[in-house]
Amino acid sequence: MPPVPKEPALRGFGLPTGRALEPGGQLREASRDSPTGQTRPPQVSQMTKQVTRPRSPPTGGLPVAWPWPLNRQGALGGPQKSGLGSPAPFAPAAGAQQGATVANPVPGSNPDLLPHFLVEPEDVYIVKNKPVLLVCKATPATQIFFKCNGEWVRQVDHAIERSTDGSSGLPAMEVRINVSRQQVEKVFGLEEYWCQCVAWSSSGTTKSQKAYIRIAYLRKNFEQEPLAKEVSLEQGIVLPCRPPEGIPPAEVEWLRNEDLVDPSLDPNVYITREHSLVVRQARLADTANYTCVAKNIVARRRSASAAVIVYVNGGWSTWTEWSVCSASCGRGWQKRSRSCTNPAPLNGGAFCEGQNVQKTACATLCPVDGSWSPWSKWSACGLDCTHWRSRECSDPAPRNGGEECHGADLDTRNCTNDLCVHTASGPEDVALYVGLIAVAVCLLLLLLVLILVYCRKKEGLDSDVADSSILTSGFQPVSIKPSKADNPHLLTIQPDLSTTTTTYQGSLCPRQDGPSPKFQLTNGHLLSPLGGGRHTLHHSSPTSEAEDFVSRLSTQNYFRSLPRGTSNMAYGTFNFLGGRLMIPNTGISLLIPPDAIPRGKIYEVYLTLHKPEDVRLPLAGCQTLLSPIVSCGPPGVLLTRPVILAMDHCGEPSPESWSLRLKKQSCEGSWEDVLHLGEEAPSHLYYCQLEAGACYVFTEQLGRFALVGEALSVAAAKRLKLLLFAPVACTSLEYNIRVYCLHDTHDALKEVVQLEKQLGGQLIQEPRILHFKDSYHNLRLSIHDVPSSLWKSKLLVSYQEVPFYHIWNGTQQYLHCTFTLERISPSTSDLACKVWVWQVEGDGQSFNVNFNITKDTRFAELLALESEGGVPALVGPSAFKIPFLIRQKIITSLDPPCSRGADWRTLAQKLHLDSHLSFFASKPSPTAMILNLWEARHFPNGNLSQLAAAVAGLGQPDAGLFTVSEAEC
């Protein structure tokens, strides 16, 4: 069959304009009744037997003059059905190439006129359900069609735009098709979906590159997520991350506390090809929450955050220099210390192992003061009528810094010999001697007069003091009843405190009135209204009197920080009879023993409890406040006996775990250590009796005190009291449970109880004790087992945390956490849950709450504040359990040493005070110190019979020593 003549192609089909192919290869005029104005395709029946396949058809395409493909018999046929269900415009011959752009020239054609692509289809992803657009543009081109996965796309699915190439002037054609998700899903999983376009010109065909269409997605679950880690400083960190499966593959980035990690800005960090985050050397700044983020064109996924904690193990600082030897003479001790600050443990790092204090024995040479040797014999009398004698500072000679001898080493005096007899006396010498004797006699008479006046005044005062109204006004006359059959003379007089308590709200003696006359005492209450207007009792209200007292104190700079109220303050006026001050419900009291205030003196004494936030107490290293801060004063007053300050503490005393110190604030405001417990000197101004929950401080100087502990090991612990409070009445769906963590002292408990009364709260569980150790671990609180059908928790975290330093520093009051629950129904009234409180790697407590929030009050009375003695100030004998006369008899009997051991030492052993014998022995009356301590420990609820039994058991020969008759009362 001769080749088809090359003529201008018909628009849209490549046939000559206005002509069609006749059977036998002849062209005919095309009909123009097509709605588009194009030539209709020839009837298949007319061309089937007339047209045969060319002998050598062009590879990969048909001659441009053949608008329709040949059928299997080699004739032109009608449109064939494509695999997409639409008639294909043509079907290229087998062997057509697939891949990059391929040109198939027609034999004998001009290869320069082969179509070439200006735009080829590119790989694309289908996101969600949005179809994608593929574009082809070629020049010169008369036809362009897309072929997808080996099947031709329908002609109606093509969007065609014809133009002229501006650079060559040749015709250009641009074709677009849309590919939907449904089309791709039909073959998805079997093979990849691809499309390419084929362009025709008069010189042949050209195929574009293949464009692959893929459905984009990103799975939700990471194949591997980063895990939380705790690493030491400078240790390497590797956080793995395998992102979810996706097309296109997800890109990975890392967030540190929601900030992007950029390895280009931080050389210490890099991201591996497997998307793991690597920190070469951990720094404190690397402590954070890390999140792996995977993203592609479809979505962005976040992994679970991994908490990375960079901890620092504590390291010891260098040792300080050895301190000065504690003994200025003889054997003593010296110490040196170091602190766990090089570096200090952070973020749960291990505390330094070992002791932070070392002690060693030392010895200092004692200074020896010089002493004179005996005088030598008098020398012979000289011509000047004198002779002399001498001595030397050599018995012993001063050494080791001792003082030189005082006085003269040479002594002279007049003497007589034959040459001096006539000049020794004369009339003028006799007159001189008579005058000196007269002056001496006058001075002696004057001295005797002064002595007599003083003795009379003293007798008048002593007669009043000895009056039984003073010594026994605190006791009602009672009969003597033996308490034991075998010991009828045992101490049996019991004081009637209900009739003798006297509260002083003002000054007994105004200072401006000058010296007061002797007291005119009656048989009524101690120091009743006194005559002459010299001593007055003010009967104003306690509030107004307290304001007046505080206003007087506030005029002094030292008292500027005293609280302006009476709830944490007690005060009174005292003389040599002594008394007691108490701040109710705080465990704080001040005992003023008899004769502690000098006779003739009257002091206005106060006792104050300070809040930690009001007084700045500097703490160093591992130190912590174990007691309340208490002031007693006025400071600087003269005391002849130690008073006893009692206050609570929350430490667990142990010499191996604690180093305890008593601190005192000076008038300038600085704090200093005045006593190191366990190392007291017997003659010291301060002494402390430390017990499980309280301490009793003997002091001869009033001021501001606090007990401070320094932890020697991680075993050192403070007692915390845990309290659960909730509203008395619940009118809304929300219900709050407040968990308080307090120092186990009465004053802290009092403050919280008063606060909860104002808030309308009630106790819902019995208090518990938790031992909080010096381990740098925080305190955690959580709530569990809340019935989900009745309640739901509004907390966003699994537990709450109280930082370690908030508890250990002890400067923040009312430390608590609140758990907020919500009732499903307003009728819900029963609450059952568990509350856990524990220190990380330490002690813990759990509360089983089973409570009716509307009517349950069974725990309300557990914390009812009880009155301690009824009044804050007691003066005179009414302030003491032991009657005054019996006290004096006990002191007189037990102070002298006894060979059989029936003295004050045995009494101290019976009262379990034998560890303080050296302190008692250093005082003028050891028995008085023992009885004062017993009074401080056992008022007002002490058992006087037990003390009587201990005294009577000493085996004193005088069995009637401890009895008092009604006449003596």
Side-chain angles (χ1 to χ4, degrees):
M1 179 177 178
V4 177
K6 299 178 181 178
E7 295 188 12
L10 181 66
R11 180 166 49 91
F13 292 98
L15 295 177
T17 306
R19 296 176 181 271
L21 191 62
E22 294 284 358
Q26 300 298 322
L27 292 174
R28 66 176 175 85
E29 292 294 329
S31 63
R32 303 192 179 271
D33 55 355
S34 170
T36 62
Q38 293 182 345
T39 305
R40 293 181 177 179
Q43 298 294 328
V44 179
S45 59
Q46 296 176 356
M47 297 190 297
T48 301
K49 295 182 181 181
Q50 303 297 329
V51 181
T52 60
R53 185 184 301 272
R55 294 178 182 178
S56 301
T59 305
L62 295 174
V64 203
W66 297 350
W68 296 99
L70 299 175
N71 58 20
R72 292 185 180 180
Q73 288 75 23
L76 285 172
Q80 297 178 354
K81 295 288 183 179
S82 70
L84 297 176
S86 60
F90 47 81
Q97 297 181 2
Q98 300 176 359
T101 303
V102 178
N104 295 310
V106 174
S109 63
N110 184 3
D112 293 337
L113 297 179
L114 285 174
H116 65 276
F117 287 95
L118 301 176
V119 178
E120 296 187 70
E122 296 180 350
D123 294 345
V124 68
Y125 295 95
I126 296 177
V127 178
K128 298 182 179 179
N129 291 320
K130 297 179 181 179
V132 296
L133 179 67
L134 298 181
V135 180
C136 272
K137 185 175 183 180
T139 183
T142 56
Q143 286 295 336
I144 301 177
F145 284 94
F146 272 93
K147 187 177 185 181
C148 295
N149 273 46
E151 297 184 3
W152 296 99
V153 179
R154 296 183 308 173
Q155 182 180 5
V156 295
D157 294 333
H158 292 72
I160 302 174
E161 181 181 346
R162 297 180 182 277
S163 62
T164 302
D165 185 27
S167 60
S168 63
L170 296 176
M173 179 180 293
E174 181 177 325
V175 179
R176 299 182 181 90
I177 65 170
N178 288 321
V179 180
S180 67
R181 183 185 183 100
Q182 291 77 11
Q183 291 175 268
V184 178
E185 284 180 342
K186 288 181 180 180
V187 296
F188 184 74
L190 302 176
E191 56 180 326
E192 289 188 309
Y193 192 93
W194 57 267
C195 290
Q196 69 177 161
C197 54
V198 182
W200 275 265
S201 73
S202 59
S203 299
T205 61
T206 305
K207 296 180 181 179
S208 71
Q209 66 181 5
K210 288 183 178 180
Y212 290 91
I213 300 94
R214 300 177 177 90
I215 299 175
Y217 66 93
L218 185 63
R219 306 290 186 200
K220 291 186 177 180
N221 297 327
F222 280 72
E223 295 184 7
Q224 184 178 10
E225 292 186 295
L227 300 177
K229 290 190 175 183
E230 293 186 2
V231 297
S232 61
L233 195 67
E234 297 184 355
Q235 181 180 343
I237 304 174
V238 178
L239 297 177
C241 176
R242 293 173 59 190
E245 179 187 355
I247 293 178
E251 297 178 356
V252 172
E253 63 185 18
W254 285 86
L255 300 179
R256 178 197 288 129
N257 287 344
E258 303 304 321
D259 294 330
L260 182 65
V261 177
D262 189 355
S264 63
L265 301 178
D266 188 354
N268 193 44
V269 177
Y270 69 93
I271 300 175
T272 66
R273 292 181 180 179
E274 294 78 19
H275 310 300
S276 298
L277 179 67
V278 178
V279 180
R280 292 183 173 90
Q281 290 184 329
R283 304 156 298 190
L284 288 177
D286 294 322
T287 297
N289 293 322
Y290 289 83
T291 308
C292 179
V293 179
K295 62 180 180 179
N296 64 6
I297 60 175
V298 179
R300 175 187 174 96
R301 311 290 188 205
R302 291 168 58 99
S303 71
S305 295
V308 173
I309 298 177
V310 181
Y311 61 84
V312 179
N313 291 325
W316 289 114
S317 64
T318 56
W319 289 101
T320 61
E321 297 293 333
W322 288 102
S323 65
V324 180
C325 192
S326 62
S328 58
C329 173
R331 292 184 58 83
W333 56 268
Q334 57 184 159
K335 68 176 181 178
R336 63 177 183 174
S337 62
R338 57 181 179 175
S339 59
C340 190
T341 57
N342 188 29
L346 291 175
N347 298 334
F351 192 77
C352 303
E353 295 183 359
Q355 297 294 330
N356 66 337
V357 177
Q358 283 186 347
K359 295 183 179 180
T360 184
C362 59
T364 307
L365 294 176
C366 296
V368 177
D369 296 337
S371 182
W372 293 111
S373 63
W375 288 100
S376 64
K377 294 182 179 180
W378 289 101
S379 65
C381 190
L383 297 177
D384 55 351
C385 297
T386 61
H387 61 169
W388 56 270
R389 62 177 181 175
S390 65
R391 59 180 178 176
E392 295 181 354
C393 188
S394 59
D395 190 22
R399 61 179 182 271
N400 301 332
E403 294 185 358
E404 294 285 343
C405 301
H406 298 286
D409 58 352
L410 186 65
D411 183 23
T412 62
R413 70 177 182 180
N414 293 330
C415 60
T416 59
N417 55 22
D418 295 339
L419 298 177
C420 300
V421 170
H422 302 287
T423 62
S425 62
E428 60 276 10
D429 293 336
V430 173
L432 176 63
Y433 293 149
V434 171
L436 291 175
I437 292 172
V439 170
V441 170
C442 292
L443 290 176
L444 181 61
L445 291 175
L446 179 61
L447 179 61
L448 290 175
V449 170
L450 292 177
I451 292 174
L452 290 175
V453 171
Y454 174 78
C455 290
R456 288 185 178 180
K457 288 186 177 181
K458 189 172 184 300
E459 284 177 2
L461 180 60
D462 288 344
S463 63
D464 288 338
V465 172
D467 190 353
S468 63
S469 65
I470 296 179
L471 300 180
T472 64
S473 62
F475 306 92
Q476 298 298 319
V478 294
S479 61
I480 301 176
K481 298 180 181 180
S483 61
K484 290 185 179 180
D486 56 347
N487 192 356
H489 301 291
L490 191 63
L491 177 66
T492 57
I493 292 183
Q494 301 291 334
D496 185 1
L497 298 179
S498 62
T499 61
T500 59
T501 300
T502 304
T503 303
Y504 286 90
Q505 300 174 346
S507 173
L508 281 175
C509 180
R511 299 293 186 265
Q512 65 271 20
D513 290 345
S516 60
K518 64 180 181 179
F519 295 157
Q520 301 296 326
L521 299 178
T522 65
N523 292 328
H525 291 292
L526 176 65
L527 296 181
S528 299
L530 305 178
R534 305 295 296 176
H535 308 284
T536 60
L537 277 174
H538 301 284
H539 299 286
S540 60
S541 64
T543 302
S544 62
E545 188 62 34
E547 293 174 354
D548 178 65
F549 179 72
V550 173
S551 65
R552 294 199 305 274
L553 293 179
S554 62
T555 59
Q556 307 178 39
N557 292 333
Y558 183 73
F559 306 111
R560 295 295 186 188
S561 61
L562 285 179
R564 301 299 186 259
T566 58
S567 63
N568 288 330
M569 184 176 183
Y571 60 95
T573 307
F574 301 90
N575 60 4
F576 70 95
L577 296 174
R580 183 188 306 266
L581 285 177
M582 294 176 295
I583 303 178
N585 303 307
T586 62
I588 298 172
S589 65
L590 179 68
L591 179 73
I592 306 173
D595 290 324
I597 297 177
R599 291 176 180 260
K601 300 287 186 179
I602 299 177
Y603 294 158
E604 274 189 343
V605 182
Y606 66 85
L607 182 65
T608 304
L609 168 64
H610 298 275
K611 294 182 179 180
E613 62 267 21
D614 294 337
V615 178
R616 186 176 182 273
L617 175 63
L619 299 175
C622 301
Q623 289 183 343
T624 181
L625 183 64
L626 296 178
S627 74
I629 301 175
V630 180
S631 291
C632 56
V637 298
L638 175 64
L639 297 175
T640 56
R641 300 284 189 274
V643 298
I644 300 178
L645 175 65
M647 54 186 177
D648 290 348
H649 69 84
C650 63
E652 287 293 319
S654 172
E656 296 79 16
S657 303
W658 286 104
S659 174
L660 301 177
R661 289 175 170 82
L662 181 69
K663 286 184 175 287
K664 181 176 182 290
Q665 189 178 28
S666 65
C667 294
E668 292 78 15
S670 61
W671 288 86
E672 58 184 2
D673 295 340
V674 295
L675 182 63
H676 190 178
L677 273 66
E679 301 176 4
E680 303 96 334
S683 59
H684 204 275
L685 291 175
Y686 307 93
Y687 201 81
C688 183
Q689 158 76 8
L690 187 68
E691 297 185 357
C695 59
Y696 301 90
V697 179
F698 292 80
T699 175
E700 297 181 19
Q701 294 182 354
L702 302 183
R704 184 171 295 164
F705 297 93
L707 183 65
V708 171
E710 181 177 3
L712 301 179
S713 69
V714 294
K718 296 172 68 172
R719 293 189 318 277
L720 300 184
K721 178 161 286 189
L722 307 178
L723 304 172
L724 269 63
F725 281 91
V728 174
C730 182
T731 58
S732 65
L733 294 180
E734 285 191 357
Y735 191 73
N736 295 325
I737 298 178
R738 293 181 289 275
V739 184
Y740 288 85
C741 308
L742 312 172
H743 287 174
D744 184 24
T745 57
H746 285 85
D747 62 291
L749 180 62
K750 173 186 176 182
E751 293 290 338
V752 170
V753 172
Q754 292 178 346
L755 175 64
E756 280 295 327
K757 283 185 177 180
Q758 298 175 2
L759 297 177
Q762 66 172 336
L763 189 70
I764 63 172
Q765 275 292 306
E766 294 185 8
R768 301 285 182 85
I769 298 297
L770 183 141
H771 294 86
F772 189 79
K773 292 185 177 181
D774 181 23
S775 62
Y776 290 90
H777 288 297
N778 297 340
L779 189 70
R780 290 183 177 176
L781 303 93
S782 61
I783 189 167
H784 305 272
D785 300 342
V786 178
S788 57
S789 60
L790 301 176
W791 299 83
K792 65 178 180 180
S793 174
K794 300 188 71 174
L795 296 179
L796 301 179
V797 293
S798 58
Y799 60 84
Q800 300 185 63
E801 211 166 62
V802 179
F804 170 82
Y805 291 102
H806 287 186
I807 298 176
W808 200 254
N809 288 350
T811 57
Q812 298 191 20
Q813 285 191 318
Y814 321 134
L815 282 175
H816 72 279
C817 289
T818 301
F819 295 100
T820 302
L821 305 177
E822 185 175 359
R823 294 185 286 177
I824 303 298
S825 169
S827 62
T828 301
S829 59
D830 291 327
L831 174 61
C833 63
K834 289 184 179 180
V835 177
W836 291 354
V837 184
W838 77 101
Q839 186 183 16
V840 180
E841 299 183 10
D843 192 15
Q845 291 285 1
S846 64
F847 295 85
N848 293 319
V849 178
N850 194 348
F851 196 74
N852 187 301
I853 66 175
T854 60
K855 60 182 179 180
D856 204 339
T857 60
R858 64 181 184 273
F859 302 105
E861 301 300 325
L862 290 179
L863 296 183
L865 297 179
E866 298 178 359
S867 177
E868 297 178 352
V871 289
L874 297 173
V875 181
S878 61
F880 305 97
K881 291 282 291 184
I882 307 173
F884 185 82
L885 294 181
I886 295 178
R887 170 190 170 92
Q888 295 303 110
K889 286 191 174 185
I890 296 175
I891 292 174
T892 305
S893 174
L894 298 185
D895 271 350
C898 180
S899 59
R900 295 177 300 163
D903 56 13
W904 64 269
R905 295 177 178 81
T906 308
L907 178 62
Q909 293 175 356
K910 287 180 174 292
L911 298 179
H912 306 290
L913 300 175
D914 46 329
S915 59
H916 307 286
L917 295 181
S918 58
F919 170 70
F920 297 145
S922 67
K923 301 302 176 184
S925 175
T927 309
M929 293 295 102
I930 297 174
L931 298 181
N932 293 342
L933 181 56
W934 187 92
E935 291 277 7
R937 296 170 64 190
H938 296 91
F939 188 88
N941 301 318
N943 191 334
L944 202 60
S945 298
Q946 291 181 354
L947 176 63
V951 174
L954 298 180
Q956 284 287 344
D958 185 4
L961 183 64
F962 306 112
T963 61
V964 179
S965 65
E966 292 188 11
E968 289 177 308
C969 289

